[in-house]
């Protein structure tokens, strides 16, 4: 050996710290491993030996406890130091474990699991060791261990959040199909779904739980108490004074699960997520765990010193303090290799400890090295992982690490003080970094739990009410009386949470990109994306039926569906960001630009086989024409499966109004309006990233090519909601390839396994339907409930100000506090939904998705054979997504351009397909009809219908034909909106009248051109209005008899009354626009109309208690001006006035006499009273100014004519000696002569009654014989047109 002492100090300067303390003596052949290198001690000026002192620091030994080293630093030396100094310096603490009894169930004497013979129902272990799922209606089981003294606990991770009873029970507790833990003596349980504790009877306790919660079940047998913890936070003392037990007869951990519920039990086989001080795990930790932690601590100190040595700057104090250490570049490998050799050798000797070590000390070590927040120390982690992977035993440990990271994503909660690196971020960041190594990615892929773990990584825990209070402590809403600082505080809070959500979503995308890029090592070789494609299909297959009322067992957490949806939406909208990998994608831009699929514009295409193949994950999905099995028999299309349909973007729109990604005017998703409107919004949710190195693009995370493709250049560069990769080291930023990734020849014939963007779009829509739609529905509920609660709170505040006295004031204040809590809860939920669901890039992607899908549907609607095969969820997702964007808070874009700039095709589709017979589902047709009903309520959207040629051509007649027993409510609402402003009393206080003159004209023309269609519509309108008024009258009478207004009955009365008012308005429109239907020809329609008017007047004006009548209609918080009798009386006045005006025109003067028909009704006194009531009604509550005076004068003249006519008829009857018995009178109405008879049965009645009867029935109302024709006296007339 040759000692080299003449080396200059500068030559070994590493990281700014002078080494000069050791030299390396290589063997003569120079080929020996670094571990064989000799590091010789060298004394510095102070006589300190650097190598020894370094080892002492790394192994946590006292100073100068190691003698000078004369031999090489290798694994043998390191292991001898560990055994002689580290292990002997401290021993693991042994906990007192008296008081627990474990019965060996075949897994080992110290292993706790389920006691198989205790299981009642059907419990399946879906993943070892103890992830349980109930397959029966109610299943129960207990563990094979009991406790009778001491303080013990176990943890339960909730995979689902339904009805579960978790706790403790004695062996005497009976389990049945309906009773479980907590339903008997000596059994105690907590149920977070019903927020109750159970011991024979339930009592309120605790908080509601959510999927991902960790429930700690603790029993203190010293104090005889049981308590529960949620995520480490005590829910309070649940039970006290529980019965004492003796050895072998103690309390067993026990659970009861309803069908489909899943949870994972941990009795101590893994470290607890939230250990409680003083409580021991039922299963003792492995003996090696303490020493494993010691070894990993040594590695941590080794890395700490190395990190300090790599640092570029040190203070003088640090230099002096660290001068005694040798260069870690030379020491790192032999020391780390020796530690790992000892670590894995001990694990091999005690294989049962691998799970505990992997889930506990090793996971904490890796996360400590990598860092839970950015910037991450990926360099140190890589060095450690490189050493680990040299040992075969490390692969088992990394399996546990991957499992633990996946589980951590499920249980991690967002914590405001940790934002933006909160929630599952740290687990995802570490997982992404590890899985970029091909060895570890292969290890994960080979796992039988690949899909399960993939779902775990995509999981994101939702907050409950208490969580939201911690996450959003300050609450503010427009008009609130909260502290003035609450607004800015809430904005800062939501911004921080938005940043955290963006970080997590970014890591989800990173993980999915790794899966997309991975090429499974199998033959034949696969393309990149095949594994991701299979995983998505498996997930969709697993979640078939999730939208049913009773979902099947085993479905995924909703957060998994939402996360995967967000990932795919970002890929399709903002691009993959994968460079050349994108070239493997079908339909990728030929130029190589990573332009988002949804924003490419130009020619679009879709393989028809996507709909015509019955893939397993779509087997039970209904198609527009019915079930797939039915369609494949009745409409087989085998020859079209390989076809690809192509169209030009915007081809279904009018050229004058066409807006595409290639036109000068861009769609809303790519225009400047989305940003400008956000700036104008008073309370936007901003998501700002703070990093001076990276600038936010105009469209978050969109490449420059996309911005150029979709923008005119006028976009503002300051949109601040980019899902950012800021604060990461450069090597971590953006896309990083998998190490040592294999390549596949491009000409390989594997097109069937290639990841298609069209398939991703198809999966996106299905994920939206089963995952996002329920969330948006819940968000809509909270937004609506928030508005109602704010109104109630303001009304209560007003009452407190007006009636501040005594006991009533006390009750009002209590009520106010209750309303205030409701408002704050709603505000927090709405804020959370805005943060998690309504970020700007998602809104842009959703808008582009709507554009793409609606054009696809319009193109395919031209081909009947393909259109009927389209899954129903395409239309359901389209309509829901459209309205979610329309109602989003803050708004996506101004309503004036929401449809105009990109979604005119949506108007075309709903207007032409809500009555499409090819759509077999009546619910789906109703959905389209209800969309029209909602949209025409707003002037901006109504204009879109008025400017749409397809809507103007198809809608009027389609609406009239769609008015049937099922769809009459939305059709009525649509007709009412189109006819708005043209009736008597339609201009109320504060209501702007904006009728659609265009559609009024089109409706009038449709009614006149197709008499048969209008006659059928009018008949259904008469029948429906008669039914609603009858139901309303019955409901009022029921409440009057009991003299109490129940909330349900009041709600029912309000709904029926509103519907009756709307139907009356439509009838008023018909009398104004088509008076000839009542005044020309037979007087059947006029008589039916008159009877209906009299019928309504009788029910409205004959109420014995007017105050009770109004009270039954007016819900809490509604004023008299909004709900009153005038709402139904006004259209009646309008009907009478319209008929009187029309009868004055020359063409109707010789037709049916309105006065005569009204006067012929029974009970003239009742009718006169009703008309007089309308004259005396206080119309000032409904009108502005004196606009009603002229019509009331007409009504007064009409009443005078009726009275005179009635009196004259009485006089004529007396003069003619009229008798009661007249065989020639109609026995149905007793008002006209029996001038017609049925054929062939010859029963007689008046022609008017017979005609009306035949509108609804083709049989004689005397003998029920089929009517072939109607014969008038001395005249034969066939009424085949009336016999349908």
């Amino acid at each position: 050996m040759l000692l080299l002492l003449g080396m200059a100090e500068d030559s070994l300067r590493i990281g700014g710290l002078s080494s000069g303390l050791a030299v390396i003596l290589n063997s003569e052949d120079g080929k020996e491993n670094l571990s064989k290198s000799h590091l010789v001690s060298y004394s510095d000026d102070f006589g300190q030996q650097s190598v020894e002192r370094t080892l002492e620091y790394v192994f946590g030994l006292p100073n100068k406890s190691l003698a000078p080293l004369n031999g090489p630093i290798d694994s043998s030396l390191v292991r001898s130091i560990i055994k002689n100094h580290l292990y002997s310096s401290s021993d693991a603490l042994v906990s007192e474990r008296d008081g627990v009894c474990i019965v060996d169930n075949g897994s080992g004497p110290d292993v706790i699991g389920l006691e198989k013979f205790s299981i009642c129902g059907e419990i399946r272990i879906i993943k070892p060791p103890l992830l349980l799922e109930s397959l029966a209606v109610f299943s129960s089981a207990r563990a094979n261990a009991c406790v009778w003294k001491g303080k013990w606990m176990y943890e339960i991770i909730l995979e689902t959040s339904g009805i579960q009873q978790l706790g403790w029970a004695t062996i005497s507790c009976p389990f049945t199909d309906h009773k479980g833990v907590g339903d008997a003596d000596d059994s105690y349980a907590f149920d977070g779904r019903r927020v109750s504790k159970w011991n024979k009877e339930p009592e309120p306790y605790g908080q509601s739980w959510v999927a991902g919660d960790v429930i700690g079940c603790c029993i203190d047998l010293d104090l005889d108490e049981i308590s529960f913890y949620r995520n480490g936070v005590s829910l309070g003392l649940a039970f006290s004074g529980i019965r004492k037990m003796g050895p072998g007869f103690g309390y067993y951990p026990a659970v009861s699960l309803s069908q489909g519920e899943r949870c994972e039990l941990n009795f101590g086989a893994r470290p607890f997520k939230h250990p409680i001080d003083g409580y021991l795990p039922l299963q003792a930790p492995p003996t090696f765990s303490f020493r494993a932690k010691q070894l990993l601590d040594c590695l941590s100190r080794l890395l700490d010193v190395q990190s300090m040595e790599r640092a570029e700057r040190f203070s003088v104090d640090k230099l002096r303090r660290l001068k005694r250490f040798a260069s870690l570049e030379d020491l790192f490998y032999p020391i780390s290799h020796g530690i790992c050799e000892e670590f894995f050798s001990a694990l091999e000797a005690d294989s049962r400890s691998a799970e505990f070590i992997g889930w506990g000390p090793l996971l904490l070590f890796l996360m400590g090295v990598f860092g839970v927040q950015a910037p991450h120390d990926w360099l140190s982690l890589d060095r450690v992982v490189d050493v680990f992977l040299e040992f075969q035993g490390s692969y088992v440990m990394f399996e546990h690490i991957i499992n633990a990271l996946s589980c951590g994503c499920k249980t991690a909660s967002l914590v405001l003080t940790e934002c933006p690196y909160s929630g599952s971020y740290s687990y995802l960041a570490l997982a992404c970094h590890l899985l970029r190594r091909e060895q570890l990615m292969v290890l994960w892929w080979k796992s039988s739990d690949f899909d399960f773990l993939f779902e775990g990584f995509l999981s994101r825990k939702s907050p409950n009410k208490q969580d939201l209070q911690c996450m959003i402590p300050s609450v503010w809403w427009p008009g609130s009386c909260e502290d003035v600082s609450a607004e800015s505080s809430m904005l800062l809070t939501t911004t921080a949470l938005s940043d955290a959500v963006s970080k997590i979503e970014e890591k989800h995308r990173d993980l999915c990109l790794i899966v997309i890029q991975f090429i499974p090592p199998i033959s034949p070789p696969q393309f990149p994306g095949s594994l991701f494609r299979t995983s998505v299909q498996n997930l969709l297959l697993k979640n078939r039926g999730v939208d049913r009322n009773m979902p099947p067992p085993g479905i995924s957490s909703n957060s998994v569906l939402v996360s995967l949806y967000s990932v795919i939406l970002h890929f399709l909208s903002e691009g993959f960001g994968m460079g050349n990998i994108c070239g493997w994608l079908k339909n990728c831009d030929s130029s190589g630009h990573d332009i988002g699929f949804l924003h490419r514009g130009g020619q679009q295409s879709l393989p028809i086989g996507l709909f015509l193949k019955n893939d397993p994950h779509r087997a039970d999905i209904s198609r527009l024409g019915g079930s797939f099995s039915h369609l494949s028999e009745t409409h087989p299309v085998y020859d079209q499966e390989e076809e690809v349909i192509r169209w030009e973007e915007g081809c279904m729109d009018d050229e004058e109004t066409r807006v595409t990604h290639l036109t000068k005017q861009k769609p809303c998703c790519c225009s400047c309006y989305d940003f400008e409107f956000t700036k104008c919004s008073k309370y936007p949710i901003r998501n700002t990233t703070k990093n001076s190195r990276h600038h936010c693009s105009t469209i978050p995370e969109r490449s420059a090519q996309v911005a150029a493709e979709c923008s005119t250049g006028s976009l503002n560069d300051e949109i601040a909601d980019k899902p950012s990769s800021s604060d990461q080291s450069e090597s971590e930023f953006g896309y990083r390839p998998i190490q040592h990734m294999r390549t596949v020849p491009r000409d390989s014939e594997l097109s069937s396994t290639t990841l298609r963007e069209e398939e991703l779009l198809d999966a996106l829509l299905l994920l939206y339907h089963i995952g996002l739609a329920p969330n948006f529905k819940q968000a809509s509920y909270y937004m609506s409930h928030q508005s109602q609660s704010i109104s109630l709170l303001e009304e209560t505040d007003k009452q407190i100000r007006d009636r501040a006295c005594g006991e009533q004031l006390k009750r009002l204040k209590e009520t106010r506090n209750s309303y205030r809590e409701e408002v704050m809860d709603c505000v927090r939920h709405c804020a959370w939904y805005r943060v998690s669901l309504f970020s700007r890039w998602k809104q842009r992607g959703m808008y582009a998705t709507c554009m793409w899908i609606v054009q696809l549907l319009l193109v395919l609607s031209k081909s009947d054979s393909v259109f009927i095969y389209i899954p129903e969820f395409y239309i359901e997702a389209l309509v829901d997504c459209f309205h979610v964007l329309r109602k989003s808070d803050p708004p996506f874009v101004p309503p004036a351009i929401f449809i105009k700039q990109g979604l005119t095709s949506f108007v075309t589709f709903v207007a032409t397909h809500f009555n499409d017979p090819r759509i077999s589902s009546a619910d789906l047709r109703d959905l389209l009809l209800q969309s029209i009903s909602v949209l025409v309520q707003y002037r901006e959207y109504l204009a879109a219908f008025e400017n749409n040629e397809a809507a103007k051509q198809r809608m009027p007649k389609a609406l009239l034909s769609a008015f049937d027993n099922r769809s009459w409510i939305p059709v009525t609402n649509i007709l009412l909106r189109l006819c708005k402003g043209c009736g008597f009393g339609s201009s109320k206080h504060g209501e702007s009248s904006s009728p659609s003159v265009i559609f009024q004209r089109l409706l009038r023309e449709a009614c006149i051109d197709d008499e048969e269609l209008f006659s059928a519509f009018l008949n259904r309108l008469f029948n429906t209005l008669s039914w609603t008024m009858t139901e309303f009258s019955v409901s009022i009478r029921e409440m009057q008899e009991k003299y109490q207004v129940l909330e349900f009955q009041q709600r029912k009365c309000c709904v029926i009354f509103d519907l009756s008012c709307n139907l009356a308005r439509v009838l008023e429109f018909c009398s104004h626009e088509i008076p000839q239907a009542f005044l020309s020809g037979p007087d059947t329609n006029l008589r039916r109309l008159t009877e209906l008017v009299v019928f309504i007047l009788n029910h409205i004006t004959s109420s014995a208690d007017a105050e009770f009548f109004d009270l039954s209609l007016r819900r809490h918080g509604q004023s008299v001006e909004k709900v009153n009798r005038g709402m139904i009386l006004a259209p009646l006045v309008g009907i009478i006035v319209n008929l009187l005006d029309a009868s004055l025109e020359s063409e109707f003067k010789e037709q049916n006499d309105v006065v005569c028909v009204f006067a012929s009704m029974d009970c003239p006194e009742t009718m006169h009273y009703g008309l007089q009531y309308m004259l005396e009604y206080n119309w000032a509550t409904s009108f502005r100014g004196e606009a009603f005076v002229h019509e009331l004068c007409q009504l007064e003249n009409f009443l005078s004519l009726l009275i005179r006519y009635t009196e004259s008829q009485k006089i004529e009857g007396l003069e003619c000696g009229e008798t009661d018995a007249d065989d020639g009178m109609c026995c149905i109405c007793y008002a006209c002569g029996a001038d017609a008879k049925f054929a062939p049965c010859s029963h007689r009645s008046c022609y008017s009654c017979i005609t009306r009867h035949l509108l609804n029935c083709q049989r004689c109302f005397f003998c029920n014989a089929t009517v072939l024709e109607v014969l008038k006296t001395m005249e034969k007339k066939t009424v085949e047109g009336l016999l349908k």
Side-chain angles (χ1 to χ4, degrees), residues 786-1060:
Q786 174 182 321
S787 300
Q788 296 174 6
S789 299
I790 289 175
S791 298
L792 294 172
L793 180 61
E794 291 173 349
E795 181 69 21
T796 307
D797 284 336
K798 182 181 177 182
Q799 293 179 13
I800 290 175
R801 291 192 300 268
D802 295 343
R803 307 173 187 176
C805 60
E807 192 66 26
Q808 186 181 24
L809 177 61
K810 181 180 178 181
R811 289 196 301 268
L812 284 173
K813 287 185 175 181
E814 292 175 354
T815 303
R816 183 192 183 279
N817 290 335
S818 176
Y819 287 147
R820 182 175 177 273
E821 287 298 319
E822 287 185 21
V823 171
M824 295 177 71
D825 184 50
C826 289
V827 170
R828 287 191 176 101
H829 275 93
C830 290
W832 171 247
Y833 282 119
R834 279 196 298 270
V835 165
S836 59
L837 299 178
F838 286 107
S839 56
R840 300 297 295 175
W841 74 263
K842 291 177 185 174
Q843 291 176 316
R844 286 191 290 272
M846 290 166 66
Y847 191 94
T849 302
C850 288
M851 287 183 61
W852 214 98
I853 295 303
V854 74
Q855 291 180 47
L856 168 67
L857 291 173
L858 285 173
V859 170
L860 294 181
S861 67
K862 304 301 180 183
S863 173
D864 291 351
S865 60
V866 179
F867 184 73
I868 58 177
Y869 276 89
I870 296 176
E872 287 185 354
F873 69 78
Y874 269 60
I875 292 181
E876 293 170 337
L878 168 67
V879 173
D880 190 79
C881 186
F882 174 89
H883 289 290
V884 164
L885 279 174
R886 181 182 61 80
K887 298 189 299 181
S888 61
D889 178 27
F892 175 48
V893 291
I897 66 167
F898 180 73
I899 290 178
K900 185 178 179 181
Q901 280 188 222
L903 283 176
T904 54
S905 296
F906 183 84
V907 173
T908 303
F909 182 77
V910 296
T912 55
H913 290 81
F914 72 86
N915 212 22
D916 190 339
R918 295 176 299 177
I919 301 177
S920 62
S921 170
D923 290 335
L924 206 53
R925 295 196 301 270
D926 284 350
L927 182 65
L928 299 177
L929 194 57
Q930 289 161 4
S931 291
I932 300 175
S933 175
V934 169
L935 291 176
V936 296
Q937 305 299 318
Y938 303 93
R939 178 69 256 180
E940 298 86 355
Y941 304 136
L942 177 59
F945 283 85
E946 293 176 334
N947 296 325
N948 189 288
E949 290 299 323
K952 290 189 289 186
Q953 291 176 11
R954 300 282 295 276
M955 262 183 60
K957 287 190 176 182
L959 286 173
L960 297 178
S961 62
F963 189 93
D964 53 22
N965 292 335
R966 180 184 180 90
S967 303
W968 64 270
I969 294 179
V971 171
T972 299
N973 293 334
I974 296 170
L975 294 175
L976 181 68
R977 180 60 184 87
L978 298 179
C979 306
K980 183 180 179 182
C982 62
F984 177 78
S986 60
S987 298
K988 296 181 182 179
H989 290 303
E991 181 180 319
S992 60
S993 178
S994 53
S996 174
V997 178
I998 295 175
F999 275 103
Q1000 288 181 19
R1001 173 178 56 80
L1002 294 172
L1003 283 169
R1004 180 174 64 252
E1005 293 173 356
C1007 293
I1008 294 173
D1009 294 343
D1010 194 334
E1011 293 185 7
E1012 182 178 353
L1013 175 64
F1014 177 65
S1015 177
F1017 165 74
L1018 197 59
N1019 175 55
R1020 292 193 294 268
L1021 180 59
F1022 283 141
N1023 293 341
T1024 306
L1025 181 53
S1026 178
W1027 174 80
T1028 57
M1029 282 307 303
T1030 302
E1031 286 292 311
F1032 174 72
S1033 178
V1034 170
S1035 298
I1036 290 289
R1037 193 177 303 116
E1038 288 177 353
M1039 286 191 291
Q1040 280 182 319
E1041 291 173 355
K1042 299 176 182 178
Y1043 207 82
Q1044 59 178 339
V1045 180
L1046 301 177
E1047 183 179 357
F1048 169 76
Q1049 290 178 313
Q1050 186 186 44
R1051 195 161 56 244
K1052 177 182 175 183
C1053 279
C1054 290
V1055 171
I1056 296 177
F1057 184 74
D1058 288 341
L1059 293 173
S1060 300

Side-chain angles (χ1 to χ4, degrees), residues 674-693:
D674 61 333
F675 167 69
E676 294 296 336
F677 193 63
T678 303
K679 285 207 305 182
C680 297
S681 179
K682 190 173 182 181
Y683 314 107
I685 298 299
R686 292 190 291 270
N687 182 3
T688 309
T689 38
K690 302 175 181 178
N691 187 359
S692 58
R693 293 179 300 166

Side-chain angles (χ1 to χ4, degrees), residues 512-765:
C512 290
L513 285 176
I514 291 171
V515 175
I516 289 174
Q517 186 189 3
F518 175 70
I519 301 174
I522 58 175
S523 183
Q526 304 289 303
F527 280 135
S530 59
L531 178 60
F532 183 74
R533 178 177 183 262
T534 302
S535 298
V536 171
Q537 291 179 350
N538 289 342
L539 181 69
L540 296 176
L541 178 63
K542 176 182 177 180
N543 288 278
R544 287 186 304 174
V546 70
D547 54 343
R548 299 174 189 162
N549 291 332
M550 288 291 292
I555 61 174
S556 305
S557 166
N558 177 263
S559 67
V560 175
L561 306 177
V562 173
S563 296
L564 186 57
Y565 166 86
S566 298
V567 167
I568 296 176
L569 179 64
H570 194 276
F571 287 165
L572 295 179
S573 179
E574 315 300 327
F576 285 79
M578 292 178 63
N580 293 332
I581 297 300
C582 191
W584 290 104
L585 297 169
K586 293 290 184 180
N587 259 0
C588 184
D589 183 70
S590 58
S591 65
H593 295 159
D594 189 14
I595 297 173
F597 170 77
L598 296 172
H599 298 282
R600 286 178 193 157
Q603 189 178 77
Q604 316 280 9
S605 64
L606 184 98
I608 296 179
L610 196 62
F611 300 139
L612 305 184
K613 294 178 181 178
N614 192 25
D615 296 325
H617 65 279
R618 295 148 63 102
D620 297 334
I621 294 174
S622 298
R623 312 301 175 102
L624 296 185
S627 66
F628 184 89
S629 57
H630 169 72
L631 292 175
S632 59
E633 294 177 1
T634 57
H635 299 84
V637 282
Y638 304 118
D639 57 333
Q640 294 181 260
E641 287 189 2
E642 302 302 322
E643 291 184 12
V644 176
I645 187 168
R646 291 182 171 83
W647 70 95
E648 198 71 23
E649 185 187 21
C651 65
M652 305 305 293
D653 298 332
D654 299 333
E655 288 192 23
E656 300 79 18
T657 60
R658 184 176 301 170
V659 176
T660 70
H661 289 84
L662 301 182
T663 56
K664 184 176 181 181
Q665 187 179 50
K666 302 300 175 186
C668 290
C669 55
C670 299
S671 70
C672 60
Y673 286 102
D674 61 333
F675 167 69
E676 294 296 336
F677 193 63
T678 303
K679 285 207 305 182
C680 297
S681 179
K682 190 173 182 181
Y683 314 107
I685 298 299
R686 292 190 291 270
N687 182 3
T688 309
T689 38
K690 302 175 181 178
N691 187 359
S692 58
R693 293 179 300 166
H694 308 291
H695 298 283
C696 295
S697 63
T698 304
I699 298 173
E701 286 225 88
R702 181 174 299 172
S703 63
Q705 290 82 1
V706 177
E709 179 79 14
C710 301
S711 172
T712 59
S714 61
L715 301 181
N716 194 302
D717 292 328
E718 297 175 4
I719 291 184
D721 70 324
K722 176 180 179 179
S724 173
S725 297
S726 60
D727 299 326
Q728 292 186 355
S729 54
E730 290 299 326
S731 298
E732 279 289 289
F733 183 77
Y735 166 73
R736 292 181 70 236
I738 293 179
Q739 299 176 15
H740 315 298
M741 190 192 77
R742 298 177 301 113
T743 58
V744 179
R746 188 67 180 93
D747 58 356
S748 181
E749 298 179 0
L750 295 172
S751 59
S752 62
T753 63
T754 305
L755 180 65
R756 293 177 177 268
E757 289 166 317
E758 296 90 343
E759 285 182 296
L760 289 181
L761 181 60
D762 178 77
L764 180 82
L765 295 177

